[in-house]
Amino acid sequence: MSFITVEPDSDFPIQNLPYGIFSTPNNTKPRPGVAIGDQILDLSAVKHLFTGPNLKNKQDVFEQGTLNAIMGLGRAGWSEARETLVRILGKGESVLRDNAELRARALVPQNSATMHLPASIGDYTDFYSSKNHAYNVGCMFRDPATALNPNWTFLPVGYHGRSSSVVVSGTPIRRPNGQTRPDESKPPSVTPCRLFDFELEMAFFVGSASKMGEPISMENAEEHIFGMVLMNDWSARDIQKWEYVPLGPFTAKNMGTSVSPWVVTMDALRPFTCANMVQDPAPLPYLHHKDDYNFDIKLDVSLNAEGLSKPARISQSNFKFMYWTMKQQLVHHTLTGCPVNPGDLMGSGTISGTTPEAYGSMLELCWKGTKTVELGGGVTRKFLQDNDEVIFHGFCEGNGHRVGFGTCTGKVLPAVKM
């Protein structure tokens, strides 16, 4: 237990302690913090308390403007930092609890802080690892018998995204203009996206770097995975339909990707490990798992729209529906010798369950426009309209506490007039 009061429904008990980058009105410098209850522990104010063998000479990582340096510490450094945080925030430790001057400097109310992008993201890759989602989309555009492409069950399919348009939760996303061809009897034209969508995803940040030419093995993969965030990979379905052949997503995906500000570490998520999904056919040896690395993370999506008195929940899913694990994604990504660096972002792909209420995109919820999604009060949707706000929430449920991610939100702004 912590000496700081934490409400039972808080996402941020002492069992969590996620990292983020924040600033305050009286100190506008972005700096690392850890969420605890409704407070933020300013790590720059307590950096002198990290005196273990791995951190005593690296205390400067706790005053940087991004989490990249903390991510790059490696597992020994992450574990030591967590042990220190649990100790100094615990009820039985006086170093912070009984030091009124230090507490006043180090503890910041979350509602007075501005959150920033957690890391400087050098590279961003988005996978396509939910079998339910891939099957649903395949059924919409192909015969159900060939819904999954032949390679899908042999490797984690992915594409390299645009890191420059990854933004922190709360940043508005503008409806894109793009080239589409809704009528195949006419030439394509540039218009505002008509079929704008969200994708319910999670993502992990790479921690320790790897060297070019040296693949990461399954045995070592966990050493390179720092923590997870919620992620919304905004998608322009009509632009995507016209442009994706033959090289896949391009401008239909590059207008914005939203991530939650708090990075929940893998140490905090470890108690919520669950069985990997059964993979048939068995993956090739380099992708073979000896342990479980799937996680029971409850996810939901709400939509706030004009005419609603409160946001309407439209989806409830779970990260455990991932067919390919994060380890498998990372191992396959580096099979060619591709290096990864601290702060690289790896998205899961849309997370859909087996039933319609667990679908992770409007494309599935409205089944390619053939159904309407009821929001209440006579308000319906097929795809996103201007001024709609999409809200993701995710958490793991423990014994009397939850380990959560907070929210990932974004509001749709009208397209720029051409």
Side-chain angles (χ1 to χ4, degrees), residues 97-132:
R97 182 196 65 201
D98 296 345
N99 187 332
E101 186 275 332
L102 180 57
R103 279 204 324 274
R105 286 191 293 111
L107 291 172
V108 176
Q110 287 191 35
N111 60 14
S112 70
T114 297
M115 300 304 298
H116 302 273
L117 198 64
S120 176
I121 301 169
D123 285 296
Y124 157 50
T125 299
D126 197 21
F127 288 93
Y128 189 49
S129 292
S130 165
K131 191 174 184 179
N132 299 322

Side-chain angles (χ1 to χ4, degrees), residues 36 117 163 204 212 219 250 276 317 343 374 389 394:
I36 176 73
L117 198 64
S163 61
F204 70 87
M212 186 171 179
E219 290 71 25
F250 183 29
N276 299 337
S317 190
E374 301 288 338
E389 182 183 29

Side-chain angles (χ1 to χ4, degrees), residues 209-290:
S210 66
K211 294 182 180 179
M212 186 171 179
E214 297 183 8
I216 294 173
S217 68
M218 187 62 68
E219 290 71 25
N220 294 324
E222 193 170 356
E223 303 300 313
H224 298 269
I225 301 175
F226 176 74
M228 298 181 69
V229 290
L230 302 172
M231 190 178 97
N232 184 349
D233 182 35
W234 302 87
S235 299
R237 300 301 186 186
D238 45 350
I239 299 172
Q240 184 178 0
K241 180 182 178 182
W242 171 237
E243 75 174 6
Y244 85 102
V245 177
L247 295 182
F250 183 29
T251 65
K253 298 280 192 175
N254 70 6
M255 82 295 298
T257 301
S258 303
V259 297
S260 54
W262 294 110
V263 185
V264 179
T265 66
M266 301 316 298
D267 282 338
L269 292 171
R270 193 177 308 281
F272 306 100
T273 303
C274 61
N276 299 337
M277 289 195 71
V278 175
Q279 295 180 330
D280 183 19
L284 296 180
Y286 77 100
L287 290 171
H288 179 69
H289 256 290
K290 294 181 179 178

Side-chain angles (χ1 to χ4, degrees), residues 54-102:
N54 295 289
L55 299 177
K56 62 182 179 182
N57 296 321
K58 297 179 180 178
Q59 294 173 351
D60 62 312
V61 303
F62 299 112
E63 54 185 357
Q64 305 299 313
T66 69
L67 295 178
N68 294 63
I70 294 175
M71 293 174 175
L73 287 171
R75 179 153 300 280
W78 307 335
S79 297
E80 187 176 296
R82 182 174 176 83
E83 290 169 4
T84 300
L85 289 167
V86 169
R87 177 176 55 80
I88 66 176
L89 288 168
K91 276 189 173 181
E93 175 60 61
S94 63
V95 65
L96 183 59
R97 182 196 65 201
D98 296 345
N99 187 332
E101 186 275 332
L102 180 57

